C-alpha cells in the first residue's frame, strides 16, 4: 500500500484488483489532437477482517479529456481536464474523500530549434482539493487536524447512484 506521508509503499493485507482502462486518441488535423481516457477499478482485501474489505486510498473511476495543438507554426498549447471519483479512506466504507476535478493549461512559443518558452497553469479554476486525504480518527493530536489536511466527508454524502 502506498503511504503518502512517507512517499513509499509498505506491506499490507492481501488484495485483489480488477479494472478496465480505455484510451482514445484522435488526430483531428495534423496540428490538433484529442485524447480521452477512462479507468475504473474495484479493489478489495481478500482476507477476513473486522476492519472491512475495502482497500483504502483506491480510486474507483478516473476520467481525463485533453486537446493539444502542435506544429502550428511557432505556437503550441494544450488543455486537460481530469476527474477523480472519491477515494475510500477506511476499509469499512464509512468515510471517503471528496471528488476532485482539475483543469490544466499549457501554452508555448518556439523561438528557434534550441529555444522555446512554455507556460503551465495548474489548477486553472482554483479548485479546492486536497493532495492527501485522511480518516480524521487516525490523525495524531500533534498532527494538523483533519479539517486542515483533508476534505474528508461521510462516504454516503459523495456516493453517486
Amino acid at each position: 500500500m502506498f503511504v503518502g506521508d512517507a512517499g513509499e509503499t509498505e506491506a499490507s493485507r492481501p488484495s485483489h484488483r480488477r479494472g478496465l482502462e480505455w484510451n482514445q486518441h484522435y488526430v483531428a488535423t495534423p496540428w490538433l489532437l484529442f485524447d480521452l481516457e477512462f479507468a475504473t477499478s474495484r479493489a478489495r482485501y481478500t482476507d477476513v477482517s473486522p476492519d472491512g474489505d475495502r482497500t483504502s486510498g483506491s480510486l474507483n473511476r478516473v476520467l481525463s479529456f485533453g486537446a493539444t495543438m502542435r506544429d502550428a507554426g511557432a505556437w503550441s498549447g494544450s488543455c486537460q481536464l481530469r476527474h477523480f471519483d472519491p477515494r475510500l479512506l477506511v476499509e469499512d466504507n464509512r468515510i471517503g474523500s471528496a471528488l476532485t476535478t482539475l483543469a490544466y493549461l499549457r501554452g508555448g512559443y518556439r523561438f528557434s530549434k534550441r529555444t522555446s518558452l512554455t507556460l503551465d497553469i495548474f489548477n486553472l479554476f482554483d479548485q479546492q482539493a486536497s493532495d492527501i486525504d485522511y480518516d480524521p480518527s487516525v490523525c495524531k493530536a500533534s498532527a494538523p487536524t483533519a479539517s486542515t489536511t483533508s476534505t474528508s466527508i461521510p462516504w454516503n454524502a459523495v456516493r453517486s447512484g
Side-chain angles (χ1 to χ4, degrees), residues 59-79:
L59 286 163
N60 291 328
R61 283 181 294 273
V62 177
L63 179 65
S64 175
F65 173 75
T68 303
M69 179 186 75
R70 64 177 187 172
D71 300 328
W75 293 97
S76 65
S78 63
C79 61

Side-chain angles (χ1 to χ4, degrees), residues 61-157:
R61 283 181 294 273
V62 177
L63 179 65
S64 175
F65 173 75
T68 303
M69 179 186 75
R70 64 177 187 172
D71 300 328
W75 293 97
S76 65
S78 63
C79 61
Q80 183 178 43
L81 184 69
R82 299 183 79 195
H83 171 80
F84 302 94
D85 267 6
R87 295 158 302 286
L88 291 174
L89 300 180
V90 292
E91 289 86 356
D92 66 3
N93 201 25
R94 285 181 298 115
I95 301 172
S97 68
L99 59 86
T100 305
T101 302
L102 299 171
Y104 308 93
L105 186 66
R106 168 180 277 184
Y109 186 81
R110 180 177 293 261
F111 297 98
S112 68
K113 284 188 174 190
R114 296 180 54 152
T115 307
S116 63
L117 178 67
T118 304
L119 174 67
D120 289 311
I121 302 173
F122 300 103
N123 196 3
L124 183 62
F125 302 116
D126 195 27
Q127 295 294 310
Q128 297 301 310
S130 55
D131 294 331
I132 299 176
D133 294 298
Y134 296 97
D135 170 9
S137 67
V138 299
C139 292
K140 296 179 182 175
S142 62
T145 64
S147 63
T148 61
T149 61
S150 173
T151 315
S152 299
I153 57 177
W155 182 251
N156 293 337

